[in-house]
């Protein structure tokens, strides 16, 4: 499973998909999310503004990545 590093306490779901390289644009991220193709921690997530934090696991299609948060 891949991992992305975030600089703040959270990242929005649409931004996380772009950072992970799974989508090319915010529009593509929104379409994937609202169509029910994205899961966060095993549950389908329909809000692209969902806050993703350290330890969350995001799935899109056959890709899966975890999020590593800001270090204290």
């Amino acid at each position: 499973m891949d991992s992305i590093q975030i600089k703040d306490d959270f990242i929005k779901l649409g931004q996380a998909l772009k950072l992970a390289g799974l989508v090319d644009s915010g529009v593509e991220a929104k379409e994937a999310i609202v169509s029910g193709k994205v899961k966060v921690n095993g549950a389908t997530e329909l809000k692209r503004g969902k806050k993703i934090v350290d330890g969350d696991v995001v799935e899109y299609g056959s890709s899966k990545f975890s999020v590593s948060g800001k270090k204290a």
Side-chain angles (χ1 to χ4, degrees), residues 13 33-34 36-40 43-48 50:
L13 180 56
I33 295 164
V34 300
K37 297 178 181 175
V38 179
K39 292 184 179 184
V40 177
T44 300
E45 182 56 61
L46 300 175
K47 297 179 293 227
R48 70 176 172 163
K50 165 81 173 159

Side-chain angles (χ1 to χ4, degrees), residues 51-63:
K51 292 180 180 179
I52 305 301
V53 298
D54 182 42
D56 282 347
V57 175
V58 178
E59 298 175 59
Y60 174 51
S62 61
S63 299

Side-chain angles (χ1 to χ4, degrees), residues 4-5 15-16 38 61 64 71:
I4 62 169
Q5 180 75 40
Q15 294 170 327
V38 179
K64 186 185 235 186
K71 304 298 180 209

